[in-house]
Amino acid sequence: IFMHAHHIWVDHCTFRNEGDGAIDTKRGSNYVTVSWCHFIENIGTSIVGHKDYNAPQDSGYLYLTYHHNYWQDIVEKGPLVRFGKVHVFNNYYTSIKSYALGLGRSAQIYSENNFMENGNSFSMDLSGGKFIDKGSKANCDINPTGDVNWTPDQYYKYSIDETDSVKSIVTRSAGAGKITRIINHKKILPKNSILKMKKGNKVLMYNILGILIPTSLKNNVTPGIYIVKGVKNRCYSTIRIGEIAK
């Protein structure tokens, strides 16, 4: 993702044995979300920011969110950040050979409620970047560096899962083929209709950044793609407002 690309969503993908750069975002790109993806046996998995010398093109850009991703048996860069403001929450890391979060030049990483086991290092300072963490758990030291002078809620509202639930939620629902309902593009929901699921199964709806929205599909819901969570069985589905899932 490069050359000032913006407003991109990478969701429910699986990346295996990609070597260096399964998903890299650089050269002035902006507003990218990577969610519910499974990274398996990669080396340099994901980079934000081109090179340390590329400040003129990357500074002021590279606003990214990584949430509910499954990082399994990777070497490093989950992600490595240069210049960007990156929100990393509810990710599950296991068998990380080097480090998960790389603090490159002018990085500002805001980490929340991530869970790591069997990892060598949760974070590594590579070029003086900044990193703050709230609520994450790991088998090793997390080593936050201090305040990054920004918070995600300055840019969007979002909901967050408890840290102890992250492993079960992410391993069950992250990766290709894990979307549990198929979008039917032929049926259009009537105006002022209500999204319904099985009786007794409360429904919560989120946008792709994890922001909780009302379940009523009335005038206060903007058309777009949303995540639907059934609380009773904790299944996750994707639905496009204006069309109905089977």
Side-chain angles (χ1 to χ4, degrees), residues 24-232:
D24 291 348
T25 304
K26 54 191 179 180
R27 294 187 179 276
S29 296
N30 215 3
Y31 303 121
V32 177
T33 296
V34 180
S35 61
W36 300 103
C37 290
H38 193 178
F39 300 92
I40 313 171
E41 299 173 348
N42 299 297
I43 300 174
T45 311
S46 187
I47 294 174
V48 178
H50 179 50
K51 298 289 185 181
D52 282 354
Y53 57 73
N54 205 48
Q57 189 176 36
D58 281 340
S59 292
Y61 297 94
L62 302 174
Y63 289 59
L64 278 81
T65 302
Y66 289 80
H67 73 85
H68 292 96
N69 298 294
Y70 184 2
W71 310 79
Q72 180 183 11
D73 198 23
I74 68 167
V75 176
E76 60 187 12
K77 302 176 183 176
L80 160 63
V81 179
R82 302 181 181 97
F83 304 109
K85 291 182 178 180
V86 179
H87 187 199
V88 182
F89 72 92
N90 284 161
N91 292 271
Y92 172 56
Y93 299 90
T94 183
S95 301
I96 309 301
K97 296 178 176 59
S98 182
Y99 65 85
L101 303 181
L103 314 181
R105 182 182 175 187
S106 300
Q108 298 184 62
I109 301 175
Y110 198 103
S111 167
E112 291 184 280
N113 288 27
N114 300 291
F115 187 81
M116 174 187 278
E117 57 186 359
N118 302 318
N120 180 63
S121 179
F122 189 87
S123 65
M124 184 173 291
D125 186 353
L126 303 173
S127 299
K130 300 297 183 181
F131 157 58
I132 190 170
D133 183 84
K134 296 182 181 297
S136 295
K137 295 183 179 181
N139 67 290
C140 52
D141 291 337
I142 292 177
N143 295 322
T145 64
D147 195 5
V148 295
N149 298 316
W150 72 280
T151 60
D153 58 14
Q154 292 175 250
Y155 300 94
Y156 50 77
K157 295 179 181 179
Y158 62 101
S159 63
I160 192 164
D161 289 305
E162 295 293 330
T163 306
D164 290 337
S165 301
V166 167
K167 178 179 178 179
S168 62
I169 292 171
V170 171
T171 55
R172 181 169 57 247
S173 300
K178 296 294 184 70
I179 297 176
T180 57
R181 280 178 169 76
I182 300 172
I183 294 174
N184 182 350
H185 295 276
K186 296 180 180 179
K187 294 184 179 180
I188 305 299
L189 287 172
K191 187 177 180 180
N192 297 330
S193 60
I194 304 295
L195 179 67
K196 296 180 179 180
M197 290 182 74
K198 292 181 180 179
K199 184 177 180 181
N201 188 3
K202 182 180 178 183
V203 176
L204 300 177
M205 288 181 62
Y206 303 85
N207 70 10
I208 62 172
L209 295 176
I211 301 171
L212 183 66
I213 66 166
T215 57
S216 173
L217 304 183
K218 296 186 179 181
N219 295 333
N220 59 347
V221 180
T222 303
I225 299 174
Y226 296 87
I227 303 299
V228 179
K229 179 164 72 172
V231 175
K232 190 174 181 180

